[in-house]
Amino acid sequence: MHARADQRIRVTLTLNGRERSGYAEPRTQLCDFLRHELGATGTHVGCEHGVCGACTVRVDGRASRSCLMLAVQAEGRRLDTVESLAGEVGLSDLQQAFRRHHALQCGFCTAGILMSCEEFLDRVADPSEAQVRDMLSGHLCRCTGYTGMVQAVLDVARTRREATVAYSQQQENNDV
C-alpha cells in the first residue's frame, strides 16, 4: 500500500475486546492513535523512543511499546490497554495489589508497567524476585523505587497460583 504522508487511512482493530476504527496518517504512532483517535487515554506517551515504557500496551497478547509502532501496523490486530484490566466489578487483582503495596505515586508510568506485568504473569506463573526486577528494568519510574511493584507482582503471582491449586483440588473432589 502506498499512501501520501498527509493521507488518512482507515485503521480497524480490536481494542479491549471491541472492534474499533479510526483514521490515521501513515506516520501516526500507535500511542497517538489510541489516545487521540480512539480515546484510550490510559496509554501515556513518555519518551517516544521506546525507552521509558509508559506507552506499553498488549498487541496480540504481547507487551509492546506503542510509540515504536505505527497505527497502520495495528490493522486487524488485537490491542489491550490499561483500560482492559478493570472489570465491571472494579480494579483487577494486579491493580489492587499495586494499590495495596503502594506501587505507584504520580501514576504516569503505571499504565505501561501494569500492561507489562500482566503479560509477564501470563507467561511466568511462579516468578522469582530477580525475574520480576528484570522485567521491570524495561520501565522508567522516577517516583517509587520499584520495591512496591516487585512486591505487588509477587503477591499476585502467589495468589493466582493458590487459586489454581484450589480449583484443581475442587475439580478432583468433584470427579470422585
Side-chain angles (χ1 to χ4, degrees):
M1 165 196 293
H2 294 295
R4 294 186 331 264
D6 62 342
Q7 180 181 356
R8 292 176 49 86
I9 300 166
R10 184 179 179 88
V11 178
T12 301
L13 51 85
T14 302
L15 178 62
N16 301 328
R18 288 185 35 225
E19 186 174 291
R20 300 284 307 274
S21 293
Y23 291 89
E25 294 178 0
R27 64 179 179 227
T28 302
Q29 293 173 317
L30 178 59
C31 54
D32 291 329
F33 178 74
L34 291 170
R35 289 181 61 79
H36 304 297
E37 187 71 14
L38 300 183
T41 57
T43 302
H44 293 161
V45 182
C47 68
E48 296 186 84
H49 296 288
V51 176
C52 74
C55 69
T56 302
V57 298
R58 291 177 73 168
V59 178
D60 296 330
R62 297 289 310 208
S64 303
R65 302 294 204 250
S66 63
C67 73
L68 296 179
M69 186 173 180
L70 298 173
V72 294
Q73 292 174 298
E75 173 68 33
R77 312 231 5 223
R78 186 182 89 243
L79 275 79
D80 294 296
T81 65
V82 71
E83 289 92 348
S84 71
L85 295 181
E88 292 178 17
V89 288
L91 299 177
S92 72
D93 58 346
L94 183 60
Q95 290 170 310
Q96 290 174 28
F98 265 58
R99 184 183 197 178
R100 252 190 336 275
H101 291 281
H102 308 289
L104 60 113
Q105 286 181 22
C106 82
F108 188 81
C109 64
T110 307
I113 291 172
L114 285 167
M115 296 311 292
S116 287
C117 290
E118 192 64 50
E119 188 255 352
F120 174 75
L121 287 168
D122 284 351
R123 289 184 296 107
V124 184
D126 189 13
S128 67
E129 180 177 335
Q131 288 174 304
V132 174
R133 287 188 180 280
D134 184 56
M135 179 269 303
L136 288 172
S137 71
H139 289 274
L140 298 177
C141 175
R142 294 180 173 179
C143 300
T144 65
Y146 303 94
T147 300
M149 293 177 202
V150 172
Q151 292 169 346
V153 171
L154 292 173
D155 185 17
V156 169
R158 180 185 45 76
T159 303
R160 288 181 183 179
R161 280 192 316 277
E162 290 171 357
T164 300
V165 168
Y167 178 77
S168 295
Q169 289 173 343
Q170 181 183 22
Q171 293 302 102
E172 287 175 14
N173 291 339
N174 290 341
D175 290 341
V176 174

